[in-house]
PDB file of all heavy atoms in Angstrom:
ATOM      1  N   HIS R   1      70.110  74.118  70.488  1.00 96.00           N
ATOM      2  CA  HIS R   1      68.924  73.354  70.940  1.00 96.00           C
ATOM      3  C   HIS R   1      69.082  72.867  72.383  1.00 96.00           C
ATOM      4  O   HIS R   1      68.244  73.056  73.222  1.00 96.00           O
ATOM      5  CB  HIS R   1      68.679  72.113  70.048  1.00 96.00           C
ATOM      6  CG  HIS R   1      68.118  72.448  68.753  1.00 96.00           C
ATOM      7  ND1 HIS R   1      68.809  72.985  67.693  1.00 96.00           N
ATOM      8  CD2 HIS R   1      66.825  72.309  68.318  1.00 96.00           C
ATOM      9  CE1 HIS R   1      67.973  73.091  66.647  1.00 96.00           C
ATOM     10  NE2 HIS R   1      66.775  72.703  66.975  1.00 96.00           N
ATOM     11  N   ILE R   2      70.303  72.352  72.696  1.00 98.00           N
ATOM     12  CA  ILE R   2      70.606  71.911  74.080  1.00 98.00           C
ATOM     13  C   ILE R   2      70.641  73.119  75.026  1.00 98.00           C
ATOM     14  O   ILE R   2      70.115  73.028  76.143  1.00 98.00           O
ATOM     15  CB  ILE R   2      71.929  71.146  74.084  1.00 98.00           C
ATOM     16  CG1 ILE R   2      71.907  69.933  73.154  1.00 98.00           C
ATOM     17  CG2 ILE R   2      72.306  70.757  75.486  1.00 98.00           C
ATOM     18  CD1 ILE R   2      70.860  68.904  73.459  1.00 98.00           C
ATOM     19  N   LYS R   3      71.221  74.207  74.583  1.00 97.00           N
ATOM     20  CA  LYS R   3      71.243  75.452  75.378  1.00 97.00           C
ATOM     21  C   LYS R   3      69.809  75.922  75.739  1.00 97.00           C
ATOM     22  O   LYS R   3      69.527  76.217  76.920  1.00 97.00           O
ATOM     23  CB  LYS R   3      72.016  76.483  74.620  1.00 97.00           C
ATOM     24  CG  LYS R   3      72.166  77.839  75.350  1.00 97.00           C
ATOM     25  CD  LYS R   3      73.063  78.732  74.516  1.00 97.00           C
ATOM     26  CE  LYS R   3      73.399  79.963  75.292  1.00 97.00           C
ATOM     27  NZ  LYS R   3      74.429  80.783  74.635  1.00 97.00           N
ATOM     28  N   LEU R   4      68.902  75.882  74.753  1.00 97.00           N
ATOM     29  CA  LEU R   4      67.540  76.248  74.975  1.00 97.00           C
ATOM     30  C   LEU R   4      66.871  75.338  75.979  1.00 97.00           C
ATOM     31  O   LEU R   4      66.188  75.757  76.936  1.00 97.00           O
ATOM     32  CB  LEU R   4      66.796  76.257  73.665  1.00 97.00           C
ATOM     33  CG  LEU R   4      65.390  76.854  73.703  1.00 97.00           C
ATOM     34  CD1 LEU R   4      65.356  78.308  74.083  1.00 97.00           C
ATOM     35  CD2 LEU R   4      64.762  76.673  72.253  1.00 97.00           C
ATOM     36  N   ALA R   5      67.084  74.016  75.765  1.00 98.00           N
ATOM     37  CA  ALA R   5      66.492  73.035  76.695  1.00 98.00           C
ATOM     38  C   ALA R   5      66.989  73.282  78.144  1.00 98.00           C
ATOM     39  O   ALA R   5      66.227  73.296  79.091  1.00 98.00           O
ATOM     40  CB  ALA R   5      66.888  71.640  76.212  1.00 98.00           C
ATOM     41  N   TYR R   6      68.285  73.496  78.276  1.00 98.00           N
ATOM     42  CA  TYR R   6      68.913  73.723  79.605  1.00 98.00           C
ATOM     43  C   TYR R   6      68.239  74.987  80.240  1.00 98.00           C
ATOM     44  O   TYR R   6      67.836  74.924  81.438  1.00 98.00           O
ATOM     45  CB  TYR R   6      70.388  73.847  79.453  1.00 98.00           C
ATOM     46  CG  TYR R   6      71.075  74.358  80.677  1.00 98.00           C
ATOM     47  CD1 TYR R   6      71.461  73.479  81.742  1.00 98.00           C
ATOM     48  CD2 TYR R   6      71.423  75.730  80.917  1.00 98.00           C
ATOM     49  CE1 TYR R   6      72.087  73.896  82.835  1.00 98.00           C
ATOM     50  CE2 TYR R   6      72.068  76.133  82.009  1.00 98.00           C
ATOM     51  CZ  TYR R   6      72.403  75.287  82.970  1.00 98.00           C
ATOM     52  OH  TYR R   6      73.048  75.647  84.096  1.00 98.00           O
ATOM     53  N   LEU R   7      68.230  76.087  79.520  1.00 98.00           N
ATOM     54  CA  LEU R   7      67.715  77.348  80.066  1.00 98.00           C
ATOM     55  C   LEU R   7      66.260  77.229  80.469  1.00 98.00           C
ATOM     56  O   LEU R   7      65.878  77.636  81.522  1.00 98.00           O
ATOM     57  CB  LEU R   7      67.957  78.467  79.078  1.00 98.00           C
ATOM     58  CG  LEU R   7      69.456  78.857  78.872  1.00 98.00           C
ATOM     59  CD1 LEU R   7      69.609  79.811  77.720  1.00 98.00           C
ATOM     60  CD2 LEU R   7      70.078  79.368  80.164  1.00 98.00           C
ATOM     61  N   TYR R   8      65.463  76.566  79.626  1.00 98.00           N
ATOM     62  CA  TYR R   8      64.025  76.393  80.026  1.00 98.00           C
ATOM     63  C   TYR R   8      63.865  75.499  81.196  1.00 98.00           C
ATOM     64  O   TYR R   8      63.104  75.748  82.055  1.00 98.00           O
ATOM     65  CB  TYR R   8      63.238  75.921  78.809  1.00 98.00           C
ATOM     66  CG  TYR R   8      62.874  76.989  77.797  1.00 98.00           C
ATOM     67  CD1 TYR R   8      62.685  76.616  76.479  1.00 98.00           C
ATOM     68  CD2 TYR R   8      62.725  78.292  78.153  1.00 98.00           C
ATOM     69  CE1 TYR R   8      62.301  77.625  75.543  1.00 98.00           C
ATOM     70  CE2 TYR R   8      62.389  79.306  77.226  1.00 98.00           C
ATOM     71  CZ  TYR R   8      62.187  78.993  75.955  1.00 98.00           C
ATOM     72  OH  TYR R   8      61.811  79.893  75.043  1.00 98.00           O
ATOM     73  N   LEU R   9      64.649  74.444  81.213  1.00 98.00           N
ATOM     74  CA  LEU R   9      64.567  73.549  82.413  1.00 98.00           C
ATOM     75  C   LEU R   9      65.092  74.117  83.699  1.00 98.00           C
ATOM     76  O   LEU R   9      64.672  73.798  84.762  1.00 98.00           O
ATOM     77  CB  LEU R   9      65.336  72.209  82.092  1.00 98.00           C
ATOM     78  CG  LEU R   9      64.658  71.285  81.109  1.00 98.00           C
ATOM     79  CD1 LEU R   9      65.637  70.199  80.689  1.00 98.00           C
ATOM     80  CD2 LEU R   9      63.366  70.682  81.755  1.00 98.00           C
ATOM     81  N   ARG R  10      65.933  75.110  83.570  1.00 97.00           N
ATOM     82  CA  ARG R  10      66.448  75.824  84.792  1.00 97.00           C
ATOM     83  C   ARG R  10      65.359  76.782  85.305  1.00 97.00           C
ATOM     84  O   ARG R  10      65.347  77.151  86.476  1.00 97.00           O
ATOM     85  CB  ARG R  10      67.711  76.625  84.440  1.00 97.00           C
ATOM     86  CG  ARG R  10      68.887  75.765  84.136  1.00 97.00           C
ATOM     87  CD  ARG R  10      69.588  75.223  85.379  1.00 97.00           C
ATOM     88  NE  ARG R  10      70.210  76.312  86.117  1.00 97.00           N
ATOM     89  CZ  ARG R  10      70.066  76.416  87.471  1.00 97.00           C
ATOM     90  NH1 ARG R  10      69.413  75.500  88.154  1.00 97.00           N
ATOM     91  NH2 ARG R  10      70.719  77.435  88.046  1.00 97.00           N
ATOM     92  N   HIS R  11      64.448  77.255  84.458  1.00 95.00           N
ATOM     93  CA  HIS R  11      63.443  78.207  84.868  1.00 95.00           C
ATOM     94  C   HIS R  11      62.023  77.644  85.032  1.00 95.00           C
ATOM     95  O   HIS R  11      61.184  78.315  85.678  1.00 95.00           O
ATOM     96  CB  HIS R  11      63.397  79.377  83.841  1.00 95.00           C
ATOM     97  CG  HIS R  11      64.675  80.163  83.792  1.00 95.00           C
ATOM     98  ND1 HIS R  11      65.677  80.003  82.961  1.00 95.00           N
ATOM     99  CD2 HIS R  11      65.017  81.178  84.695  1.00 95.00           C
ATOM    100  CE1 HIS R  11      66.628  80.843  83.192  1.00 95.00           C
ATOM    101  NE2 HIS R  11      66.262  81.573  84.219  1.00 95.00           N
ATOM    102  N   TYR R  12      61.762  76.502  84.432  1.00 97.00           N
ATOM    103  CA  TYR R  12      60.392  76.004  84.414  1.00 97.00           C
ATOM    104  C   TYR R  12      60.330  74.500  84.729  1.00 97.00           C
ATOM    105  O   TYR R  12      61.282  73.780  84.423  1.00 97.00           O
ATOM    106  CB  TYR R  12      59.738  76.238  83.037  1.00 97.00           C
ATOM    107  CG  TYR R  12      59.811  77.676  82.590  1.00 97.00           C
ATOM    108  CD1 TYR R  12      60.735  78.075  81.632  1.00 97.00           C
ATOM    109  CD2 TYR R  12      58.975  78.668  83.138  1.00 97.00           C
ATOM    110  CE1 TYR R  12      60.798  79.429  81.224  1.00 97.00           C
ATOM    111  CE2 TYR R  12      59.007  80.009  82.730  1.00 97.00           C
ATOM    112  CZ  TYR R  12      59.970  80.342  81.788  1.00 97.00           C
ATOM    113  OH  TYR R  12      60.053  81.669  81.392  1.00 97.00           O
ATOM    114  N   PRO R  13      59.185  74.027  85.181  1.00 96.00           N
ATOM    115  CA  PRO R  13      58.973  72.558  85.330  1.00 96.00           C
ATOM    116  C   PRO R  13      59.039  71.894  83.939  1.00 96.00           C
ATOM    117  O   PRO R  13      58.825  72.582  82.900  1.00 96.00           O
ATOM    118  CB  PRO R  13      57.567  72.464  85.921  1.00 96.00           C
ATOM    119  CG  PRO R  13      57.171  73.820  86.405  1.00 96.00           C
ATOM    120  CD  PRO R  13      58.043  74.754  85.643  1.00 96.00           C
ATOM    121  N   PHE R  14      59.318  70.615  83.898  1.00 96.00           N
ATOM    122  CA  PHE R  14      59.497  69.888  82.679  1.00 96.00           C
ATOM    123  C   PHE R  14      58.403  70.188  81.625  1.00 96.00           C
ATOM    124  O   PHE R  14      58.644  70.522  80.486  1.00 96.00           O
ATOM    125  CB  PHE R  14      59.615  68.403  82.876  1.00 96.00           C
ATOM    126  CG  PHE R  14      59.837  67.633  81.552  1.00 96.00           C
ATOM    127  CD1 PHE R  14      61.197  67.488  81.163  1.00 96.00           C
ATOM    128  CD2 PHE R  14      58.836  67.216  80.806  1.00 96.00           C
ATOM    129  CE1 PHE R  14      61.439  66.802  79.919  1.00 96.00           C
ATOM    130  CE2 PHE R  14      59.082  66.485  79.640  1.00 96.00           C
ATOM    131  CZ  PHE R  14      60.391  66.337  79.181  1.00 96.00           C
ATOM    132  N   ASP R  15      57.162  70.043  82.001  1.00 96.00           N
ATOM    133  CA  ASP R  15      56.022  70.188  81.082  1.00 96.00           C
ATOM    134  C   ASP R  15      56.018  71.585  80.477  1.00 96.00           C
ATOM    135  O   ASP R  15      55.736  71.779  79.261  1.00 96.00           O
ATOM    136  CB  ASP R  15      54.711  69.882  81.631  1.00 96.00           C
ATOM    137  CG  ASP R  15      54.587  68.317  81.898  1.00 96.00           C
ATOM    138  OD1 ASP R  15      55.255  67.583  81.308  1.00 96.00           O
ATOM    139  OD2 ASP R  15      53.710  67.948  82.768  1.00 96.00           O
ATOM    140  N   GLU R  16      56.176  72.635  81.345  1.00 97.00           N
ATOM    141  CA  GLU R  16      56.219  73.953  80.786  1.00 97.00           C
ATOM    142  C   GLU R  16      57.387  74.281  79.909  1.00 97.00           C
ATOM    143  O   GLU R  16      57.306  74.901  78.916  1.00 97.00           O
ATOM    144  CB  GLU R  16      56.140  75.012  81.945  1.00 97.00           C
ATOM    145  CG  GLU R  16      55.964  76.407  81.459  1.00 97.00           C
ATOM    146  CD  GLU R  16      55.757  77.413  82.578  1.00 97.00           C
ATOM    147  OE1 GLU R  16      55.491  77.077  83.702  1.00 97.00           O
ATOM    148  OE2 GLU R  16      55.862  78.636  82.270  1.00 97.00           O
ATOM    149  N   ALA R  17      58.509  73.710  80.299  1.00 98.00           N
ATOM    150  CA  ALA R  17      59.773  73.806  79.488  1.00 98.00           C
ATOM    151  C   ALA R  17      59.487  73.153  78.085  1.00 98.00           C
ATOM    152  O   ALA R  17      59.866  73.775  77.018  1.00 98.00           O
ATOM    153  CB  ALA R  17      60.934  73.200  80.164  1.00 98.00           C
ATOM    154  N   MET R  18      58.813  72.016  78.126  1.00 97.00           N
ATOM    155  CA  MET R  18      58.516  71.323  76.840  1.00 97.00           C
ATOM    156  C   MET R  18      57.610  72.171  75.974  1.00 97.00           C
ATOM    157  O   MET R  18      57.822  72.318  74.796  1.00 97.00           O
ATOM    158  CB  MET R  18      57.923  69.979  77.174  1.00 97.00           C
ATOM    159  CG  MET R  18      57.687  69.120  75.875  1.00 97.00           C
ATOM    160  SD  MET R  18      59.212  68.755  75.009  1.00 97.00           S
ATOM    161  CE  MET R  18      58.697  69.081  73.364  1.00 97.00           C
ATOM    162  N   GLY R  19      56.613  72.780  76.593  1.00 97.00           N
ATOM    163  CA  GLY R  19      55.658  73.608  75.786  1.00 97.00           C
ATOM    164  C   GLY R  19      56.364  74.799  75.243  1.00 97.00           C
ATOM    165  O   GLY R  19      56.107  75.182  74.056  1.00 97.00           O
ATOM    166  N   ARG R  20      57.248  75.406  75.996  1.00 97.00           N
ATOM    167  CA  ARG R  20      57.966  76.597  75.440  1.00 97.00           C
ATOM    168  C   ARG R  20      58.977  76.252  74.379  1.00 97.00           C
ATOM    169  O   ARG R  20      59.052  76.945  73.418  1.00 97.00           O
ATOM    170  CB  ARG R  20      58.721  77.252  76.644  1.00 97.00           C
ATOM    171  CG  ARG R  20      57.832  78.009  77.595  1.00 97.00           C
ATOM    172  CD  ARG R  20      58.571  78.580  78.777  1.00 97.00           C
ATOM    173  NE  ARG R  20      57.695  79.358  79.633  1.00 97.00           N
ATOM    174  CZ  ARG R  20      57.502  80.698  79.463  1.00 97.00           C
ATOM    175  NH1 ARG R  20      58.088  81.353  78.509  1.00 97.00           N
ATOM    176  NH2 ARG R  20      56.674  81.321  80.274  1.00 97.00           N
ATOM    177  N   ILE R  21      59.697  75.131  74.536  1.00 97.00           N
ATOM    178  CA  ILE R  21      60.665  74.816  73.464  1.00 97.00           C
ATOM    179  C   ILE R  21      59.971  74.406  72.158  1.00 97.00           C
ATOM    180  O   ILE R  21      60.340  74.738  71.154  1.00 97.00           O
ATOM    181  CB  ILE R  21      61.673  73.733  73.987  1.00 97.00           C
ATOM    182  CG1 ILE R  21      62.907  73.755  73.135  1.00 97.00           C
ATOM    183  CG2 ILE R  21      61.088  72.361  74.002  1.00 97.00           C
ATOM    184  CD1 ILE R  21      64.086  72.978  73.702  1.00 97.00           C
ATOM    185  N   ARG R  22      58.863  73.684  72.298  1.00 97.00           N
ATOM    186  CA  ARG R  22      58.025  73.288  71.177  1.00 97.00           C
ATOM    187  C   ARG R  22      57.561  74.519  70.410  1.00 97.00           C
ATOM    188  O   ARG R  22      57.703  74.650  69.206  1.00 97.00           O
ATOM    189  CB  ARG R  22      56.818  72.431  71.624  1.00 97.00           C
ATOM    190  CG  ARG R  22      55.935  71.972  70.475  1.00 97.00           C
ATOM    191  CD  ARG R  22      54.633  71.328  71.004  1.00 97.00           C
ATOM    192  NE  ARG R  22      54.978  70.087  71.705  1.00 97.00           N
ATOM    193  CZ  ARG R  22      54.604  69.879  72.958  1.00 97.00           C
ATOM    194  NH1 ARG R  22      54.024  70.806  73.712  1.00 97.00           N
ATOM    195  NH2 ARG R  22      54.945  68.759  73.598  1.00 97.00           N
ATOM    196  N   ALA R  23      56.906  75.385  71.155  1.00 96.00           N
ATOM    197  CA  ALA R  23      56.380  76.613  70.488  1.00 96.00           C
ATOM    198  C   ALA R  23      57.491  77.473  69.936  1.00 96.00           C
ATOM    199  O   ALA R  23      57.346  78.023  68.818  1.00 96.00           O
ATOM    200  CB  ALA R  23      55.585  77.457  71.507  1.00 96.00           C
ATOM    201  N   GLY R  24      58.579  77.536  70.649  1.00 95.00           N
ATOM    202  CA  GLY R  24      59.749  78.369  70.142  1.00 95.00           C
ATOM    203  C   GLY R  24      60.354  77.795  68.916  1.00 95.00           C
ATOM    204  O   GLY R  24      60.671  78.620  67.924  1.00 95.00           O
ATOM    205  N   ILE R  25      60.647  76.525  68.913  1.00 96.00           N
ATOM    206  CA  ILE R  25      61.189  75.952  67.621  1.00 96.00           C
ATOM    207  C   ILE R  25      60.271  76.081  66.469  1.00 96.00           C
ATOM    208  O   ILE R  25      60.678  76.394  65.380  1.00 96.00           O
ATOM    209  CB  ILE R  25      61.613  74.508  67.890  1.00 96.00           C
ATOM    210  CG1 ILE R  25      62.778  74.435  68.914  1.00 96.00           C
ATOM    211  CG2 ILE R  25      62.027  73.797  66.608  1.00 96.00           C
ATOM    212  CD1 ILE R  25      63.163  73.047  69.376  1.00 96.00           C
ATOM    213  N   LYS R  26      59.015  75.817  66.672  1.00 95.00           N
ATOM    214  CA  LYS R  26      58.037  75.905  65.590  1.00 95.00           C
ATOM    215  C   LYS R  26      57.965  77.346  65.075  1.00 95.00           C
ATOM    216  O   LYS R  26      57.946  77.540  63.876  1.00 95.00           O
ATOM    217  CB  LYS R  26      56.619  75.488  66.078  1.00 95.00           C
ATOM    218  CG  LYS R  26      56.494  74.008  66.172  1.00 95.00           C
ATOM    219  CD  LYS R  26      55.101  73.555  66.641  1.00 95.00           C
ATOM    220  CE  LYS R  26      54.930  72.070  66.645  1.00 95.00           C
ATOM    221  NZ  LYS R  26      53.553  71.673  66.912  1.00 95.00           N
ATOM    222  N   ALA R  27      57.969  78.353  65.980  1.00 94.00           N
ATOM    223  CA  ALA R  27      57.957  79.744  65.512  1.00 94.00           C
ATOM    224  C   ALA R  27      59.199  80.113  64.806  1.00 94.00           C
ATOM    225  O   ALA R  27      59.196  80.841  63.792  1.00 94.00           O
ATOM    226  CB  ALA R  27      57.686  80.642  66.768  1.00 94.00           C
ATOM    227  N   HIS R  28      60.317  79.644  65.334  1.00 93.00           N
ATOM    228  CA  HIS R  28      61.645  79.883  64.706  1.00 93.00           C
ATOM    229  C   HIS R  28      61.660  79.343  63.294  1.00 93.00           C
ATOM    230  O   HIS R  28      62.030  79.984  62.288  1.00 93.00           O
ATOM    231  CB  HIS R  28      62.784  79.262  65.523  1.00 93.00           C
ATOM    232  CG  HIS R  28      64.120  79.531  64.993  1.00 93.00           C
ATOM    233  ND1 HIS R  28      64.766  78.701  64.156  1.00 93.00           N
ATOM    234  CD2 HIS R  28      64.965  80.577  65.252  1.00 93.00           C
ATOM    235  CE1 HIS R  28      65.976  79.191  63.865  1.00 93.00           C
ATOM    236  NE2 HIS R  28      66.139  80.284  64.504  1.00 93.00           N
ATOM    237  N   ASN R  29      61.173  78.060  63.148  1.00 92.00           N
ATOM    238  CA  ASN R  29      61.103  77.400  61.832  1.00 92.00           C
ATOM    239  C   ASN R  29      60.240  78.228  60.859  1.00 92.00           C
ATOM    240  O   ASN R  29      60.628  78.472  59.708  1.00 92.00           O
ATOM    241  CB  ASN R  29      60.690  75.993  61.920  1.00 92.00           C
ATOM    242  CG  ASN R  29      61.696  75.020  62.500  1.00 92.00           C
ATOM    243  OD1 ASN R  29      62.865  75.441  62.754  1.00 92.00           O
ATOM    244  ND2 ASN R  29      61.322  73.871  62.809  1.00 92.00           N
TER     245      ASN R  29
END
């Protein structure tokens, strides 16, 4: 989870990273 947060924050602004991690975790679940 931390790794995913780090990688998204390295590539995207906070709000976009949040949207991506939210969608990704929900899809994974």
